[in-house]
Amino acid sequence: MSDSTTSSPVIDVVPVIENQKIGRFWVALFAVAWLVTFLDGFDLQIISFAGRYLKADFGLSNTQLGTLGTIGVVGTLFGGIAITYLGDKFGRKPAIVGSVAGFGLFMVAFAFAADYPQLVILRLATGFFIGGALPLVWALVSEFAPTRLRSTSVVIVMIGYSLGAASGGPVSNLLIPHFGWQSVFLAGGIGSLVVLVPVLLFLPESIKFLAQRDLARHRLIALLRRVSPGIELPSGASFVVGTQAVDRSRFTPAALFRGRLALITPLVWAAWFCSATVVFYLTFWSPILNEQMGFSVSAAASLAAGASIAGAVGQALISRFIDRRGAGAIMWMPLLAVPCLVLIGFAPLGTVGYVLVLLVANVLIVGGNGGVISISSIFYRPAIRASGGGWAASVSKLGAMLGPWLAGLLLDAGVGAKGTFFVFAIFPVAMVVLLAVLGRVQRGLPADVDGSLRSSTDASGSADGQSLAAGGASEQRAR
């Protein structure tokens, strides 16, 4: 390490993160993040598989059941804004702990609901805490990832969400016939509360968040030594994130539209809105649509679960292309999904053909959705990154509500199960245009701007990944 010429050396944490080696720290981080997203996916989607049993037990109408499915998404909309604000103010870890504890407790309480109003209130509360967890985990993971693995890291933890959503079908088939619908909500709630233990013990706070906020230097030093064992840190050092100055400013939504973000934020929001519309249409209606296509109740649930697994495969396939080529690489997935949806809508596929095309469609649609999620927060500086991802996630929930509602409207209008696939092909087409523009914008970002495809550090620099910067880091150029 070179000697600092100032009495108080300043250490840039970015090179430490960029040059870190994949080891036990990463394994622990991803294992805990994956558990949180797995249970988040299970807890949010289990209502789709338990819906017919709730309808029978409480004598619900189709409208009441649809409201129950939608109200949880409404909760995620508000939670995505409120809890991520706390994550930018107090830190990622305490906000994640609160989110997991919240949706775990309310999942358990849901199993003991006595009437429909209680179901609605408890589902709203559960959704509120579920909505806060995912953007916080994305922000945390992306802030520990080198530029070359940034999108891949988010997609890895999102695969946990997809598998959690997929597990709802098999778990429902296993538990509900023997123990009632309450059993799956108890399983999700208790599992979430158990996961609080590894979250508290092993989930780290974000190094970039602590450095940019100039908080808890003793914690920051301990984390740097976990990321880069053997690192030498001079006493009295202060820490910065690249060229970004210490930022203790209060977050306001206007910060998401300053400078370059005035174009980037609407593009991200619109792309995710379109993606969520299709994904939640498939997620919520797949078991019922599959039954209308001639499958039994258990077979329809299993096929819906298989479609979620196919989506996880799609997320894994696209991740490396995003890190190398940026947001524009994502557009190929919705582009290829369009003919799949049109085929289901018009072609006489038969049972085998329907299953194969549906699985391919999910690979492409859910894979593209995972790609959009992976870039949703990377364009924002650490001080507002959780809020940036949280607001994007909340806007996407408008699409998540539109998808199930629009499909129900189409079915009531006599369009039929197959016809809905054709109508929803409109949204991937819009995604292609939005992602093409966003990819072009991203390719033009300078290396020192968040979200750039180019690293702002020289990987061939110091062997231990450290760099010293002169004190007084300047504010990053207009974003």
Side-chain angles (χ1 to χ4, degrees):
M1 177 186 298
S2 61
D3 293 330
S4 173
T5 58
T6 65
S7 58
S8 178
V10 179
I11 297 179
D12 183 1
V13 301
V14 172
V16 181
I17 292 172
E18 289 294 324
N19 297 315
Q20 66 183 295
K21 296 179 179 179
I22 309 303
R24 286 182 297 177
F25 175 81
W26 258 51
V27 171
L29 170 62
F30 277 92
V32 177
W34 195 91
L35 284 173
V36 172
T37 56
F38 179 92
L39 287 163
D40 200 292
F42 179 89
D43 291 355
L44 182 61
Q45 301 300 339
I46 194 62
I47 193 75
S48 299
F49 299 99
R52 69 166 44 251
Y53 302 97
L54 287 164
K55 181 180 179 181
D57 202 2
F58 287 90
L60 305 181
S61 65
N62 287 327
T63 300
Q64 287 176 314
L65 180 60
T67 300
L68 192 58
T70 302
I71 198 67
V73 179
V74 174
T76 64
L77 188 156
F78 293 108
I81 294 173
I83 298 180
T84 53
Y85 172 81
L86 298 177
D88 277 337
K89 185 175 180 63
F90 300 108
R92 317 309 191 215
K93 182 172 180 175
I96 291 172
V97 169
S99 293
V100 176
F103 67 70
L105 288 170
F106 282 107
M107 279 287 285
V108 171
F110 189 88
F112 296 96
D115 52 36
Y116 180 68
Q118 289 184 17
L119 290 175
V120 171
I121 293 171
L122 292 170
R123 193 60 188 165
L124 177 68
T126 303
F128 180 86
F129 289 99
I130 287 175
L134 283 179
L136 290 165
V137 172
W138 302 330
L140 180 63
V141 168
S142 67
E143 286 167 350
F144 273 107
T147 301
R148 67 186 186 277
L149 296 173
R150 186 173 51 201
S151 293
T152 300
S153 301
V154 176
V155 168
I156 287 173
V157 296
M158 277 308 298
I159 289 174
Y161 177 89
S162 295
L163 294 180
S167 67
V171 171
S172 297
N173 289 342
L174 179 66
L175 295 181
I176 293 179
H178 303 288
F179 305 105
W181 62 265
Q182 296 89 343
S183 59
V184 292
F185 291 94
L186 287 173
I190 293 172
S192 301
L193 296 176
V194 169
V195 165
L196 273 178
V197 176
V199 169
L200 289 167
L201 294 178
F202 302 114
L203 196 70
E205 184 54 88
S206 166
I207 286 176
K208 289 183 178 180
F209 171 80
L210 293 174
Q212 190 165 75
R213 289 287 191 177
D214 193 24
L215 299 171
R217 293 187 184 182
H218 63 287
R219 292 176 62 194
L220 184 52
I221 291 171
L223 283 169
L224 286 170
R225 287 174 175 157
R226 288 175 62 188
V227 172
S228 181
I231 190 173
E232 296 180 11
L233 300 171
S235 59
S238 57
F239 302 90
V240 295
V241 182
T243 60
Q244 300 176 27
V246 170
D247 186 350
R248 298 192 185 93
S249 60
R250 184 186 297 272
F251 168 79
T252 63
L256 303 178
F257 296 92
R258 291 189 182 126
R260 296 178 181 90
L261 295 178
L263 177 59
I264 291 173
T265 292
L267 287 171
V268 172
W269 285 10
W272 199 354
F273 171 88
C274 292
S275 182
T277 301
V278 184
V279 168
F280 276 79
Y281 147 68
L282 290 173
T283 300
F284 187 81
W285 284 102
S286 276
I288 296 172
L289 292 175
N290 292 338
E291 288 180 44
Q292 292 188 11
M293 298 294 287
F295 293 88
S296 66
V297 174
S298 60
S302 297
L303 179 55
S308 294
I309 295 174
V313 172
Q315 291 174 328
L317 290 174
I318 193 61
S319 60
R320 297 303 293 130
F321 292 98
I322 302 171
D323 282 323
R324 294 171 183 170
R325 300 184 179 277
I330 306 171
M331 72 177 187
W332 293 103
M333 300 202 92
L335 180 63
L336 295 173
V338 172
C340 293
L341 295 175
V342 173
L343 271 175
I344 297 175
F346 280 118
L349 296 173
T351 301
V352 175
Y354 170 73
V355 170
L356 291 177
V357 176
L358 180 65
L359 292 178
V360 172
N362 274 270
V363 168
L364 298 169
I365 291 170
V366 181
N369 186 65
V372 174
I373 290 171
S374 74
I375 62 161
S376 62
S377 62
I378 65 173
F379 298 103
Y380 306 100
R381 65 186 189 276
I384 65 169
R385 182 164 292 147
S387 292
W391 275 77
S394 293
V395 170
S396 78
K397 297 307 185 296
L398 299 176
M401 290 184 279
L402 173 64
W405 174 82
L406 179 58
L409 186 68
L410 292 170
L411 289 170
D412 287 341
V415 170
K418 294 185 67 174
T420 61
F421 287 93
F422 174 72
V423 173
F424 275 86
I426 297 171
F427 295 96
V429 172
M431 282 182 65
V432 172
V433 177
L434 293 163
L435 291 169
V437 177
L438 181 60
R440 186 176 181 85
V441 173
Q442 187 182 21
R443 287 193 297 273
L445 294 178
D448 60 345
V449 171
D450 287 295
S452 173
L453 294 174
R454 292 168 284 174
S455 171
S456 60
T457 63
D458 183 0
S460 62
S462 61
D464 60 3
Q466 302 175 89
S467 79
L468 292 178
S474 62
E475 185 70 48
Q476 188 177 11
R477 293 195 295 270
R479 313 168 78 76

